[in-house]
Amino acid sequence: MYSLPAGLELRPLHIPASIDDDDAADFREMVRLRNLVYEEISGHDDESMPADELLPLFQPRPEVKRFSWIAVFHGEVVGRAGLDLPQEDGARTGSYLIELRRSAWGQGIGRAAFAMIEPLARAHGRTVLQSWAAHPAAEGPQLAAPTGFGAVPKDHSARFLLASGCTLEQIVRVSTLDLADARPRLGALLAEAEAAAAGYRVVQWTLPTPDEFVDSFAWMKSRMATDAPSADLDVDEEVWDAARLRRHEATYLDAGRHMLVTAAQHVDSGELAAFNELVIGKDRTAVTGQEDTLVVASHRGHRLGLLVKCAGLLAWRDVAPDSPRVITYNAEENRPMLSINERVGFTPISYEGVWQKNLS
């Protein structure tokens, strides 16, 4: 049993009903700390979120059991920790995070948090722990992913994860697209994609998803866990139905965030064959997030990934004309999707490592 360093409290995070409630102080402080940590890592605030937009993501949902803590060191909130446990039958994995501001490094806080998280995951029957860690580009020794695609520096985060018994399994590329001059290139690429996608049409909607597409879209969302490249990571199947999709959409709608879904529909069958998501918060001048993109396996080979990305980005200028850029994340071995992004104009800005520890 790892004893807490003197002056450290790992306090369970209370989730308030409203960000304006009297009991929301710890949550607001957690979000402030989260945004600070991400800015310390990246040097920019593109991943910052207001507390009221983040709160819906922390509300209880039946598909995941979430544990969250704040690290209070000598009276100051210096970090946060979390463990998410998928609730599908037979789920083996748990996803965790430990994030500290730099001034709190070297005090044993991360070790104490991990010593709390690991036995909790075991107690819930989990045999695998996974974590995503940002690794800014740096000189010096590098740690290569076993996929053969990409590497991260053996930095503070990597050394901590290795010491905790985790292994690096995958590299995720973080890329950005400057929207200012992208329209001519997007128009030309869209015309190319449309010519290759005979028999398909573009359909678009903003949340909530129209009833006619709910079942098909929920099924496609379920494939994100298994159809995207996942290296040698243990991956639990996800079960999505209409109710789960509506709960997922509520995390955006309740936060006042705007999502545009661009899908490719097979004309003859009516099946949805591909989709792309673009998201922005209430501040329409902030950075846009490109979230899930998927081409259903049976419909690949028709430039549908290029089709939905270009159609979505062209329509996005009417949604958020003052958003300066788009940020997106892709597995480094996902060459088909990276090739599309590179043609569109995305350039890499940083990398994340996906780490795993087998508990059995």
Side-chain angles (χ1 to χ4, degrees), residues 67-219:
F67 299 88
S68 300
W69 303 267
I70 53 174
V72 184
F73 193 50
H74 297 294
E76 179 188 2
V77 177
V78 298
R80 66 175 187 147
L83 174 65
D84 285 357
L85 301 174
Q87 295 298 291
E88 276 86 7
D89 289 343
R92 308 179 311 278
T93 66
S95 175
Y96 78 95
L97 65 82
I98 299 171
E99 296 173 348
L100 305 175
R101 61 177 308 173
R102 287 180 182 171
S103 61
W105 289 359
Q107 304 294 328
I109 299 171
R111 291 193 301 275
F114 192 80
M116 176 181 61
I117 287 170
E118 181 175 341
L120 182 59
R122 290 180 184 273
H124 283 81
R126 303 309 154 116
T127 57
V128 176
L129 276 175
Q130 296 168 344
S131 189
W132 282 251
H135 299 273
E139 301 294 330
Q142 302 287 304
L143 192 63
T147 60
F149 295 89
V152 294
K154 206 169 181 180
D155 55 13
H156 177 85
S157 295
R159 292 191 298 271
F160 169 78
L161 288 157
L162 290 169
S164 300
C166 300
T167 57
L168 178 66
E169 296 293 341
Q170 186 182 53
I171 306 297
V172 173
R173 181 189 297 190
V174 185
S175 305
T176 189
L177 170 69
D178 186 343
L179 289 171
D181 301 313
R183 184 174 288 272
R185 180 172 61 255
L186 290 170
L189 289 172
L190 178 60
E192 174 189 319
E194 287 174 335
Y200 296 86
R201 62 178 166 228
V202 170
V203 292
Q204 292 179 309
W205 65 84
T206 57
L207 301 189
T209 296
D211 289 342
E212 64 182 296
F213 296 132
V214 164
D215 290 337
S216 294
F217 190 42
W219 182 82

Side-chain angles (χ1 to χ4, degrees), residues 26-88:
D26 274 0
F27 189 87
R28 291 194 298 268
E29 185 64 9
M30 180 277 292
V31 177
R32 185 194 68 80
L33 185 282
R34 169 200 180 275
N35 293 340
L36 172 63
V37 167
Y38 290 173
E39 188 170 355
E40 284 184 343
I41 292 171
S42 66
H44 58 72
D45 63 357
D46 286 357
E47 294 176 290
S48 291
M49 286 184 67
D52 62 333
E53 293 186 23
L54 199 60
L55 179 58
L57 290 170
F58 281 78
Q59 298 299 341
R61 289 174 288 152
E63 53 268 14
V64 63
K65 188 174 182 65
R66 168 167 286 177
F67 299 88
S68 300
W69 303 267
I70 53 174
V72 184
F73 193 50
H74 297 294
E76 179 188 2
V77 177
V78 298
R80 66 175 187 147
L83 174 65
D84 285 357
L85 301 174
Q87 295 298 291
E88 276 86 7

